[in-house]
Amino acid sequence: MSTAAGGTGRTWKPWGVVMAVLLVVAGLLHVWRNTNVLTEDRVCGGLVSAEQANGVLPGVGRIDAEGDGLGKELTDTVCRIEKSSVVLGSGEGALTLRVRAQQGMEILGVYGVSELPETSFFSGAVTGGVDDDLGWALLPEECWATQPVFVGISSTERISDREAFAALTTDTARAIAAGEGCGDLPEKPERLLPPRSDAPRPVSEGRVCGLGGLSVSGQVPEGVKVLEAGQKAPADLWSCKLTLDDDARDSVRAAGFMAYSASRDPLLIAAVKKTPGTSEGKAPDGRRADLVGDSQMILPCAEGDALYLAVEAKAQYWEARELSDLPPSAEYVGPFMKAAAKTFGCTAPAEAQ
């Protein structure tokens, strides 16, 4: 009996070793395929933190990237970061990093798809913003050639943690600026300025978009309810969109009626000043101003930084004007400029008064 038992033990011992090895190998394969434990700390040629990218994209999985880092030209830089896993229900997602040049007057409409009223802005040591699927940050002025340059990170999945998304965007911009030797940026922004609410809200007459003295009386079709969405004013980066609560087509309604933007951020103002065609002229209140087209301007202020203001008539305005007796779009600039200058503390310099 003892001999048989000993034989059985010798028979199964090799299989036990094999099973243990297989378990170790399977464990290592799982770690390699579904986590970043065995991968580099940074991807995209060192530009993007794998840990931060992992924290931004939903679910669990491994971070992989297609991209070699900085391009021959700074604006050639592109990298795709994917998160994948063989674990069922873990979710997948991808981020795309691009470095792009943009006309200064278009920065607040970055990529042409960013919904400014839904954006959480940051300003100060680093300038930019994040929404549910796009983060962007301006590179330092030393990085610019003929146009301002920004870093953009778009996501295929909805980003729920905007603080983490802003940190990822800023840290990536910092790495790019350091790699180019064209300036210093922090690892993350100081704070985010989020929208006032997740949904549009009715305007307050005489205080539209939180700007004292701004009214919609005579500016919108009679009897139509007007909604507003955006950040709380004043702020270094701010926007507000008016929407008519009518039966317009979904695409027209989504575009809105009128969009307002304002900024006291020095880097963004420097970017706007680079816009070709910017010229010296007069603001609606008579003070000297840098004019960018017919509806954007940079006002000098008696105290503090200059103030950038922009107005854009949207699809609902143009559709409604065909059916109603609305003022020309240029007549929306003056009332906004005067109300915004007061709210943002931009009194005219003494020599301009």
PDB file of all heavy atoms in Angstrom, residues 196 203-217 226 228 238 240 242 260 339:
ATOM      1  N   ARG A 196     -22.530  76.321 -15.658  1.00  0.00           N
ATOM      2  CA  ARG A 196     -23.373  76.559 -14.481  1.00  0.00           C
ATOM      3  C   ARG A 196     -24.315  75.402 -14.211  1.00  0.00           C
ATOM      4  O   ARG A 196     -24.689  75.142 -13.064  1.00  0.00           O
ATOM      5  CB  ARG A 196     -24.176  77.847 -14.674  1.00  0.00           C
ATOM      6  CG  ARG A 196     -23.325  79.108 -14.546  1.00  0.00           C
ATOM      7  CD  ARG A 196     -24.138  80.349 -14.850  1.00  0.00           C
ATOM      8  NE  ARG A 196     -25.292  80.482 -13.962  1.00  0.00           N
ATOM      9  CZ  ARG A 196     -26.262  81.379 -14.142  1.00  0.00           C
ATOM     10  NH1 ARG A 196     -26.218  82.183 -15.194  1.00  0.00           N
ATOM     11  NH2 ARG A 196     -27.261  81.465 -13.300  1.00  0.00           N
ATOM     12  N   VAL A 203     -33.574  82.423 -19.596  1.00  0.00           N
ATOM     13  CA  VAL A 203     -32.812  83.646 -19.355  1.00  0.00           C
ATOM     14  C   VAL A 203     -33.532  84.523 -18.334  1.00  0.00           C
ATOM     15  O   VAL A 203     -34.745  84.418 -18.154  1.00  0.00           O
ATOM     16  CB  VAL A 203     -32.595  84.453 -20.656  1.00  0.00           C
ATOM     17  CG1 VAL A 203     -31.839  83.636 -21.679  1.00  0.00           C
ATOM     18  CG2 VAL A 203     -33.934  84.933 -21.221  1.00  0.00           C
ATOM     19  N   SER A 204     -32.770  85.373 -17.672  1.00  0.00           N
ATOM     20  CA  SER A 204     -33.336  86.398 -16.790  1.00  0.00           C
ATOM     21  C   SER A 204     -33.303  87.718 -17.553  1.00  0.00           C
ATOM     22  O   SER A 204     -32.218  88.213 -17.888  1.00  0.00           O
ATOM     23  CB  SER A 204     -32.514  86.510 -15.499  1.00  0.00           C
ATOM     24  OG  SER A 204     -32.554  85.299 -14.766  1.00  0.00           O
ATOM     25  N   GLU A 205     -34.451  88.255 -17.859  1.00  0.00           N
ATOM     26  CA  GLU A 205     -34.513  89.487 -18.641  1.00  0.00           C
ATOM     27  C   GLU A 205     -33.744  90.602 -17.939  1.00  0.00           C
ATOM     28  O   GLU A 205     -33.891  90.823 -16.737  1.00  0.00           O
ATOM     29  CB  GLU A 205     -35.972  89.911 -18.858  1.00  0.00           C
ATOM     30  CG  GLU A 205     -36.148  91.158 -19.701  1.00  0.00           C
ATOM     31  CD  GLU A 205     -35.520  91.028 -21.087  1.00  0.00           C
ATOM     32  OE1 GLU A 205     -35.369  89.896 -21.588  1.00  0.00           O
ATOM     33  OE2 GLU A 205     -35.166  92.057 -21.660  1.00  0.00           O
ATOM     34  N   GLY A 206     -32.913  91.295 -18.702  1.00  0.00           N
ATOM     35  CA  GLY A 206     -32.074  92.352 -18.144  1.00  0.00           C
ATOM     36  C   GLY A 206     -30.780  91.836 -17.550  1.00  0.00           C
ATOM     37  O   GLY A 206     -29.912  92.625 -17.161  1.00  0.00           O
ATOM     38  N   ARG A 207     -30.639  90.531 -17.504  1.00  0.00           N
ATOM     39  CA  ARG A 207     -29.391  89.920 -17.015  1.00  0.00           C
ATOM     40  C   ARG A 207     -29.134  88.624 -17.793  1.00  0.00           C
ATOM     41  O   ARG A 207     -28.884  87.565 -17.226  1.00  0.00           O
ATOM     42  CB  ARG A 207     -29.470  89.658 -15.513  1.00  0.00           C
ATOM     43  CG  ARG A 207     -28.101  89.401 -14.895  1.00  0.00           C
ATOM     44  CD  ARG A 207     -28.147  89.380 -13.381  1.00  0.00           C
ATOM     45  NE  ARG A 207     -26.818  89.139 -12.841  1.00  0.00           N
ATOM     46  CZ  ARG A 207     -25.882  90.059 -12.719  1.00  0.00           C
ATOM     47  NH1 ARG A 207     -26.143  91.306 -13.097  1.00  0.00           N
ATOM     48  NH2 ARG A 207     -24.700  89.765 -12.234  1.00  0.00           N
ATOM     49  N   VAL A 208     -29.228  88.705 -19.082  1.00  0.00           N
ATOM     50  CA  VAL A 208     -29.028  87.543 -19.941  1.00  0.00           C
ATOM     51  C   VAL A 208     -27.587  87.046 -19.805  1.00  0.00           C
ATOM     52  O   VAL A 208     -26.639  87.822 -19.818  1.00  0.00           O
ATOM     53  CB  VAL A 208     -29.341  87.902 -21.403  1.00  0.00           C
ATOM     54  CG1 VAL A 208     -28.988  86.755 -22.335  1.00  0.00           C
ATOM     55  CG2 VAL A 208     -30.813  88.273 -21.545  1.00  0.00           C
ATOM     56  N   CYS A 209     -27.432  85.740 -19.670  1.00  0.00           N
ATOM     57  CA  CYS A 209     -26.116  85.109 -19.517  1.00  0.00           C
ATOM     58  C   CYS A 209     -25.357  85.639 -18.305  1.00  0.00           C
ATOM     59  O   CYS A 209     -24.122  85.576 -18.250  1.00  0.00           O
ATOM     60  CB  CYS A 209     -25.263  85.287 -20.771  1.00  0.00           C
ATOM     61  SG  CYS A 209     -25.897  84.383 -22.209  1.00  0.00           S
ATOM     62  N   GLY A 210     -26.081  86.208 -17.344  1.00  0.00           N
ATOM     63  CA  GLY A 210     -25.438  86.745 -16.153  1.00  0.00           C
ATOM     64  C   GLY A 210     -24.780  88.096 -16.362  1.00  0.00           C
ATOM     65  O   GLY A 210     -24.023  88.563 -15.509  1.00  0.00           O
ATOM     66  N   LEU A 211     -25.055  88.756 -17.494  1.00  0.00           N
ATOM     67  CA  LEU A 211     -24.467  90.057 -17.801  1.00  0.00           C
ATOM     68  C   LEU A 211     -25.486  91.152 -17.494  1.00  0.00           C
ATOM     69  O   LEU A 211     -26.520  91.254 -18.163  1.00  0.00           O
ATOM     70  CB  LEU A 211     -24.050  90.130 -19.271  1.00  0.00           C
ATOM     71  CG  LEU A 211     -23.112  89.021 -19.776  1.00  0.00           C
ATOM     72  CD1 LEU A 211     -22.791  89.237 -21.249  1.00  0.00           C
ATOM     73  CD2 LEU A 211     -21.828  88.978 -18.950  1.00  0.00           C
ATOM     74  N   GLY A 212     -25.198  91.951 -16.492  1.00  0.00           N
ATOM     75  CA  GLY A 212     -26.121  93.022 -16.116  1.00  0.00           C
ATOM     76  C   GLY A 212     -26.357  93.996 -17.249  1.00  0.00           C
ATOM     77  O   GLY A 212     -25.407  94.520 -17.842  1.00  0.00           O
ATOM     78  N   GLY A 213     -27.622  94.247 -17.579  1.00  0.00           N
ATOM     79  CA  GLY A 213     -27.974  95.189 -18.624  1.00  0.00           C
ATOM     80  C   GLY A 213     -28.217  94.553 -19.976  1.00  0.00           C
ATOM     81  O   GLY A 213     -28.670  95.238 -20.901  1.00  0.00           O
ATOM     82  N   LEU A 214     -27.937  93.262 -20.123  1.00  0.00           N
ATOM     83  CA  LEU A 214     -28.163  92.602 -21.415  1.00  0.00           C
ATOM     84  C   LEU A 214     -29.579  92.039 -21.457  1.00  0.00           C
ATOM     85  O   LEU A 214     -29.997  91.297 -20.564  1.00  0.00           O
ATOM     86  CB  LEU A 214     -27.152  91.487 -21.638  1.00  0.00           C
ATOM     87  CG  LEU A 214     -27.186  90.831 -23.036  1.00  0.00           C
ATOM     88  CD1 LEU A 214     -26.928  91.857 -24.131  1.00  0.00           C
ATOM     89  CD2 LEU A 214     -26.180  89.690 -23.125  1.00  0.00           C
ATOM     90  N   SER A 215     -30.301  92.369 -22.512  1.00  0.00           N
ATOM     91  CA  SER A 215     -31.708  91.994 -22.635  1.00  0.00           C
ATOM     92  C   SER A 215     -31.958  91.276 -23.955  1.00  0.00           C
ATOM     93  O   SER A 215     -31.202  91.429 -24.916  1.00  0.00           O
ATOM     94  CB  SER A 215     -32.579  93.256 -22.556  1.00  0.00           C
ATOM     95  OG  SER A 215     -33.924  92.976 -22.859  1.00  0.00           O
ATOM     96  N   VAL A 216     -33.026  90.501 -24.004  1.00  0.00           N
ATOM     97  CA  VAL A 216     -33.438  89.880 -25.268  1.00  0.00           C
ATOM     98  C   VAL A 216     -34.668  90.569 -25.841  1.00  0.00           C
ATOM     99  O   VAL A 216     -35.148  90.199 -26.906  1.00  0.00           O
ATOM    100  CB  VAL A 216     -33.736  88.366 -25.090  1.00  0.00           C
ATOM    101  CG1 VAL A 216     -32.476  87.603 -24.721  1.00  0.00           C
ATOM    102  CG2 VAL A 216     -34.844  88.138 -24.064  1.00  0.00           C
ATOM    103  N   SER A 217     -35.164  91.571 -25.144  1.00  0.00           N
ATOM    104  CA  SER A 217     -36.337  92.300 -25.625  1.00  0.00           C
ATOM    105  C   SER A 217     -36.032  92.941 -26.973  1.00  0.00           C
ATOM    106  O   SER A 217     -35.065  93.694 -27.134  1.00  0.00           O
ATOM    107  CB  SER A 217     -36.728  93.382 -24.614  1.00  0.00           C
ATOM    108  OG  SER A 217     -37.829  94.120 -25.084  1.00  0.00           O
ATOM    109  N   VAL A 226     -36.622  81.826 -24.364  1.00  0.00           N
ATOM    110  CA  VAL A 226     -35.191  81.811 -24.661  1.00  0.00           C
ATOM    111  C   VAL A 226     -34.446  81.116 -23.517  1.00  0.00           C
ATOM    112  O   VAL A 226     -34.673  81.403 -22.337  1.00  0.00           O
ATOM    113  CB  VAL A 226     -34.638  83.242 -24.850  1.00  0.00           C
ATOM    114  CG1 VAL A 226     -33.165  83.182 -25.261  1.00  0.00           C
ATOM    115  CG2 VAL A 226     -35.458  84.002 -25.875  1.00  0.00           C
ATOM    116  N   GLU A 228     -30.524  79.784 -21.961  1.00  0.00           N
ATOM    117  CA  GLU A 228     -29.104  80.097 -21.983  1.00  0.00           C
ATOM    118  C   GLU A 228     -28.306  78.952 -21.376  1.00  0.00           C
ATOM    119  O   GLU A 228     -28.808  78.185 -20.548  1.00  0.00           O
ATOM    120  CB  GLU A 228     -28.807  81.389 -21.212  1.00  0.00           C
ATOM    121  CG  GLU A 228     -29.109  81.280 -19.721  1.00  0.00           C
ATOM    122  CD  GLU A 228     -28.821  82.581 -18.970  1.00  0.00           C
ATOM    123  OE1 GLU A 228     -29.152  83.651 -19.509  1.00  0.00           O
ATOM    124  OE2 GLU A 228     -28.292  82.510 -17.840  1.00  0.00           O
ATOM    125  N   TRP A 238     -14.831  82.400 -20.730  1.00  0.00           N
ATOM    126  CA  TRP A 238     -16.282  82.358 -20.516  1.00  0.00           C
ATOM    127  C   TRP A 238     -16.997  82.279 -21.853  1.00  0.00           C
ATOM    128  O   TRP A 238     -16.536  82.805 -22.871  1.00  0.00           O
ATOM    129  CB  TRP A 238     -16.712  83.629 -19.772  1.00  0.00           C
ATOM    130  CG  TRP A 238     -18.188  83.805 -19.612  1.00  0.00           C
ATOM    131  CD1 TRP A 238     -18.975  83.343 -18.602  1.00  0.00           C
ATOM    132  CD2 TRP A 238     -19.072  84.521 -20.492  1.00  0.00           C
ATOM    133  NE1 TRP A 238     -20.292  83.720 -18.798  1.00  0.00           N
ATOM    134  CE2 TRP A 238     -20.367  84.447 -19.952  1.00  0.00           C
ATOM    135  CE3 TRP A 238     -18.875  85.216 -21.693  1.00  0.00           C
ATOM    136  CZ2 TRP A 238     -21.476  85.030 -20.560  1.00  0.00           C
ATOM    137  CZ3 TRP A 238     -19.975  85.798 -22.316  1.00  0.00           C
ATOM    138  CH2 TRP A 238     -21.259  85.715 -21.739  1.00  0.00           C
ATOM    139  N   CYS A 240     -21.335  81.740 -23.534  1.00  0.00           N
ATOM    140  CA  CYS A 240     -22.765  81.554 -23.293  1.00  0.00           C
ATOM    141  C   CYS A 240     -23.460  81.420 -24.646  1.00  0.00           C
ATOM    142  O   CYS A 240     -23.143  82.148 -25.588  1.00  0.00           O
ATOM    143  CB  CYS A 240     -23.339  82.741 -22.520  1.00  0.00           C
ATOM    144  SG  CYS A 240     -25.103  82.554 -22.097  1.00  0.00           S
ATOM    145  N   LEU A 242     -27.309  81.257 -26.494  1.00  0.00           N
ATOM    146  CA  LEU A 242     -28.765  81.409 -26.395  1.00  0.00           C
ATOM    147  C   LEU A 242     -29.432  80.463 -27.390  1.00  0.00           C
ATOM    148  O   LEU A 242     -28.984  80.327 -28.531  1.00  0.00           O
ATOM    149  CB  LEU A 242     -29.178  82.846 -26.706  1.00  0.00           C
ATOM    150  CG  LEU A 242     -28.616  83.945 -25.801  1.00  0.00           C
ATOM    151  CD1 LEU A 242     -29.224  85.291 -26.191  1.00  0.00           C
ATOM    152  CD2 LEU A 242     -28.883  83.652 -24.333  1.00  0.00           C
ATOM    153  N   TYR A 260     -21.967  83.913 -27.373  1.00  0.00           N
ATOM    154  CA  TYR A 260     -21.104  84.968 -26.835  1.00  0.00           C
ATOM    155  C   TYR A 260     -19.865  84.330 -26.202  1.00  0.00           C
ATOM    156  O   TYR A 260     -19.957  83.271 -25.573  1.00  0.00           O
ATOM    157  CB  TYR A 260     -21.834  85.774 -25.763  1.00  0.00           C
ATOM    158  CG  TYR A 260     -23.133  86.409 -26.212  1.00  0.00           C
ATOM    159  CD1 TYR A 260     -24.356  86.007 -25.660  1.00  0.00           C
ATOM    160  CD2 TYR A 260     -23.135  87.424 -27.160  1.00  0.00           C
ATOM    161  CE1 TYR A 260     -25.550  86.592 -26.052  1.00  0.00           C
ATOM    162  CE2 TYR A 260     -24.335  88.021 -27.566  1.00  0.00           C
ATOM    163  CZ  TYR A 260     -25.537  87.599 -27.010  1.00  0.00           C
ATOM    164  OH  TYR A 260     -26.710  88.181 -27.405  1.00  0.00           O
ATOM    165  N   ALA A 339     -22.496  95.413 -21.903  1.00  0.00           N
ATOM    166  CA  ALA A 339     -22.845  94.643 -20.714  1.00  0.00           C
ATOM    167  C   ALA A 339     -21.671  93.805 -20.230  1.00  0.00           C
ATOM    168  O   ALA A 339     -21.402  93.699 -19.024  1.00  0.00           O
ATOM    169  CB  ALA A 339     -24.048  93.748 -21.010  1.00  0.00           C
TER     170      ALA A 339
END
